[in-house]
Amino acid sequence: MSDSNKEKFIYELINSFCDKVKEEVFFIIKKIPINLMEPHVHSVLSALLARQGTLATELCRAVSAWNYHSAPLFIRSMVDVHITIAWLMEEPFDRCLKFVEYGLGQEKLQIEHFKAKLIKEGKDPEENEQIQALENNINAQKYTFLLPVELGSWSGKSTRDMAIECGLQDVYNFSFLSFSRCVHSTWNHISRFNSRPSDSALHRYTFVAEMPEFTPDIHQLDTVARRVDETINLFQRYLSLPEDSQIIDKWLDAKLEELGKKYRSEESR
Amino acid sequence: MSKKKSKVLSDHKKVGKKLLPPLMHQVSGVTPSHYDRDTLPELLWLALIENMHGLRVAAAIAEEIGTFVKESESNCRFITITEMKNVDKIEWSALRTHLSGKEMLDLLISAIHDLVVLYPECPLRNLMKQVPVKLRNDNFLASLEVLVADLTYKRGRRAVLMQANALYLLGSQGKLFIKKGLSLGNFEALKDYPDTEESRKVGASMCASSAMVVTLPGNDDLNVWRWPKYFWKRNLEQLPITFDVNKRSSK
């Protein structure tokens, strides 16, 4: 395939993929019942699903990030979102409320740190417009003087415990943990992707730093598709919709074949 | 019959938030030794002799040095390069005379000559009346790299023979007593290493015992000159590490 057709292939693939993800995500979001007596359930679950879609489309558009340096940063977040959604769905009313309160409490804590910094600099926090805007944002949802600040994890549990509780231990062990090494830049990641053993025994084959640039790997997109599918499948069960655990993955396979044929046949003309 | 679900790392012991492997929690007071960092450079001179002259000559030289140490009641065992640092001129002279009398001095010097040229702080320079400055083999560094690569594999033939020679040297001084029948005493079998079972048993004993030969008091003292530290540092001076700044990969 010529370079020009490869570019067109990728451009069309990215746009179609993003459209497909949005289509499937909003299909589900529109099915989530809205109860204005407990709006936090709908708000949190739909926003998290939208977040999943955003993570997928953002990575899809960043072709240069389709590699083991960068894709896991997104994908691990997607696994985190997936586990969070699964856990919330077990007891949506209480847990979604906890989720909202935690987020607002963290904002409140951040504002207090900001205020303390201003005071240290001899400035008056009451006169800072940014602080006022941030506080107004919180107060619009819950008064700050009635908002507790949780210092531990938002759920009171580790991600691992949340995953086990929802029957997602394999997801945690094989997806969350394996992508975490990229997120945290632990030795088992950087020794493989930012290091290589020296060629010489006289250097004790010591690890030597490097910054290799990788060509885009379409398998990363496949991984993203499967992550979105997993989450959509959660909602299908939650909402008692017909289940299809491979909507986007199957679509992607078909799309790749379609575009491959299209651009190859163009070249053969 | 129901199968018990196997627990991951079930043989590990949980201590706090750590899972300790069996060797760490069943055997206490174990201090790891560093074969490639310490043992290899300390005994490298023995490997150079074997590399150049073969096993028989290397063993003969080791035996003769051992005999010298025993007869002269020397404080130095002449096994690790580090311990040779503190040997005085009189003793070096006596060793030279002893080896010369057995027609072994030139053999030994030929093996370590270029090592001394490239690593001028090496105490083995005292085997020569005048410290050499010119290499006999211009490709010595490259061949040394190949030898060290070979020796890095602790159970490889070269490495096992090197470790065995160190123990043989110790035995020749009357400082190593081996119970009859133990594999450690059957040095002769090593000529077939690793092709026979007996040689592999003997080789395993050598590997297990070599650390005790190299571990000396003050090894961890950063202020004391140690050959391994000098050796690795000097390697970086002679062969700087290069960085591939523009590496591209299809990973």
Side-chain angles (χ1 to χ4, degrees):
Chain A
M1 205 185 281
S2 67
D3 285 349
S4 147
N5 271 349
K6 275 182 195 168
E7 267 185 44
K8 287 180 193 169
F9 176 107
I10 292 287
Y11 184 75
E12 200 174 326
L13 176 67
I14 288 171
N15 284 336
S16 313
F17 183 86
C18 293
D19 287 345
K20 181 63 177 173
V21 167
K22 272 189 202 168
E23 179 194 323
E24 296 303 331
V25 161
F26 278 98
F27 175 80
I28 297 284
I29 285 173
K30 287 173 186 172
K31 300 273 185 198
I32 299 173
I34 299 173
N35 179 351
L36 294 178
M37 295 302 287
E38 31 181 89
H40 56 282
V41 174
H42 162 266
S43 300
V44 167
L45 291 179
S46 58
L48 279 171
L49 179 56
R51 172 66 176 160
Q52 197 71 310
T54 294
L55 287 167
T57 55
E58 286 295 290
L59 178 57
C60 177
R61 293 196 190 284
V63 179
S64 63
W66 295 3
N67 55 58
Y68 286 105
H69 289 315
S70 309
L73 299 174
F74 286 83
I75 297 170
R76 202 269 217 160
S77 289
M78 293 180 77
V79 178
D80 197 0
V81 167
H82 180 76
I83 293 172
T84 297
I85 292 174
W87 196 76
L88 287 168
M89 282 176 173
E90 298 282 307
E91 289 175 27
F93 182 87
D94 289 334
R95 290 180 179 182
C96 288
L97 198 57
K98 210 173 183 175
F99 184 82
V100 168
E101 258 193 17
Y102 177 82
L104 292 176
Q106 291 300 295
E107 278 296 289
K108 176 179 166 180
L109 183 61
Q110 186 84 346
I111 291 168
E112 293 306 312
H113 283 314
F114 193 5
K115 283 180 181 174
K117 186 170 182 286
L118 288 172
I119 291 169
K120 211 173 166 184
E121 290 167 1
K123 296 173 188 166
D124 183 1
E126 299 300 319
E127 290 177 7
N128 185 289
E129 284 179 8
Q130 192 180 356
I131 286 181
Q132 283 172 24
L134 290 168
E135 279 184 331
N136 288 343
N137 184 45
I138 298 175
N139 284 321
Q141 298 182 61
K142 187 161 187 173
Y143 287 126
T144 55
F145 58 84
L146 292 174
L147 189 60
V149 176
E150 178 69 56
L151 295 175
S153 74
W154 70 270
S155 61
K157 291 173 187 274
S158 66
T159 307
R160 181 174 177 269
D161 288 342
M162 285 165 58
I164 291 171
E165 217 179 284
C166 304
L168 294 176
Q169 188 161 9
D170 278 357
V171 169
Y172 180 82
N173 285 342
F174 297 113
S175 299
F176 188 87
L177 279 186
S178 67
F179 296 129
S180 288
R181 57 189 175 208
C182 173
V183 169
H184 295 298
S185 305
T186 49
W187 180 245
N188 50 338
H189 178 84
I190 62 175
S191 61
R192 290 167 61 194
F193 296 102
N194 284 105
S195 268
R196 60 166 175 87
S198 161
D199 297 326
S200 175
L202 293 180
H203 299 152
R204 286 184 71 194
Y205 300 114
T206 194
F207 279 90
V208 174
E210 59 179 15
M211 289 174 56
E213 291 177 13
F214 296 147
T215 50
D217 176 6
I218 199 120
H219 291 104
Q220 301 297 344
L221 204 57
D222 185 56
T223 306
V224 166
R226 284 185 277 115
R227 295 279 87 81
V228 178
D229 276 336
E230 266 176 2
T231 306
I232 286 177
N233 194 230
L234 268 181
F235 278 93
Q236 286 166 346
R237 283 201 296 273
Y238 178 72
L239 299 169
S240 303
L241 295 171
E243 284 189 46
D244 182 351
S245 60
Q246 289 183 295
I247 295 178
I248 296 178
D249 195 32
K250 279 190 288 202
W251 174 90
L252 180 62
D253 286 344
K255 196 69 184 172
L256 285 168
E257 203 176 319
E258 174 202 319
L259 290 177
K261 278 182 187 161
K262 175 181 172 183
Y263 288 104
R264 275 196 292 272
S265 72
E266 266 190 28
E267 284 193 344
S268 63
R269 265 190 237 125
Chain B
M1 188 158 80
S2 64
K3 274 189 183 169
K4 217 177 173 181
K5 199 178 173 184
S6 69
K7 215 177 157 194
V8 170
L9 298 176
S10 54
D11 60 347
H12 283 44
K13 184 179 177 181
K14 194 169 181 188
V15 177
K17 292 205 165 192
K18 236 183 225 189
L19 292 173
L20 298 181
L23 195 63
M24 285 182 78
H25 70 82
Q26 286 168 12
V27 180
S28 62
V30 171
T31 310
S33 61
H34 300 273
Y35 168 76
D36 77 309
R37 190 191 77 182
D38 296 334
T39 306
L40 190 163
E42 291 283 18
L43 305 182
L44 179 61
W45 68 289
L46 292 167
L48 284 167
I49 302 171
E50 191 272 325
N51 190 43
M52 185 173 270
H53 301 300
L55 179 57
R56 291 225 174 273
V57 170
I61 291 175
E63 189 173 349
E64 237 10 270
I65 295 174
T67 304
F68 166 79
V69 170
K70 191 174 176 183
E71 287 174 356
S72 66
E73 294 178 344
S74 171
N75 284 330
C76 179
R77 302 173 313 165
F78 284 96
I79 299 178
T80 65
I81 297 180
T82 297
E83 63 188 308
M84 296 180 208
K85 177 92 168 155
N86 296 321
V87 174
D88 64 32
K89 286 181 185 174
I90 298 169
E91 196 159 4
W92 277 114
S93 177
L95 177 62
R96 285 200 303 271
T97 306
H98 180 91
L99 290 175
S100 183
K102 303 288 178 186
E103 294 178 1
M104 286 185 183
L105 182 63
D106 287 342
L107 288 169
L108 178 49
I109 286 173
S110 65
I112 55 96
H113 177 278
D114 287 351
L115 183 74
V116 167
V117 170
L118 293 184
Y119 301 82
E121 285 188 34
C122 180
L124 288 163
R125 68 182 187 272
N126 293 294
L127 282 170
M128 293 165 260
K129 281 185 183 161
Q130 252 186 319
V131 178
V133 293
K134 198 173 178 317
L135 288 171
R136 286 180 182 172
N137 172 10
D138 288 335
N139 290 323
F140 177 75
L141 191 63
S143 5
L144 181 67
E145 192 176 15
V146 171
L147 177 62
V148 170
D150 212 352
L151 293 171
T152 300
Y153 177 42
K154 187 180 181 183
R155 279 154 186 75
R157 181 177 165 82
R158 279 248 131 79
V160 165
L161 295 180
M162 174 185 77
Q163 293 168 89
N165 244 344
L167 288 159
Y168 190 58
L169 211 170
L170 191 65
S172 304
Q173 299 171 26
K175 289 173 185 165
L176 184 66
F177 299 97
I178 302 166
K179 192 177 171 186
K180 199 176 176 182
L182 286 182
S183 296
L184 198 59
N186 189 7
F187 287 85
E188 189 60 31
L190 287 176
K191 67 180 182 348
D192 298 320
Y193 184 86
D195 299 326
T196 64
E197 196 182 328
E198 179 60 19
S199 71
R200 288 195 294 274
K201 279 185 191 169
V202 175
S205 302
M206 300 296 163
C207 290
S209 312
S210 66
M212 72 166 177
V213 170
V214 169
T215 307
L216 295 169
N219 258 5
D220 295 325
D221 188 340
L222 296 173
N223 295 320
V224 171
W225 184 93
R226 286 186 60 236
W227 165 251
K229 209 162 100 178
Y230 169 74
F231 177 75
W232 296 118
K233 190 175 171 216
R234 183 83 184 112
N235 287 344
L236 288 174
E237 288 166 11
Q238 301 186 98
L239 205 63
I241 285 175
T242 53
F243 295 91
D244 187 353
V245 177
N246 294 312
K247 182 171 177 173
R248 281 188 164 72
S249 174
S250 59
K251 218 186 252 192

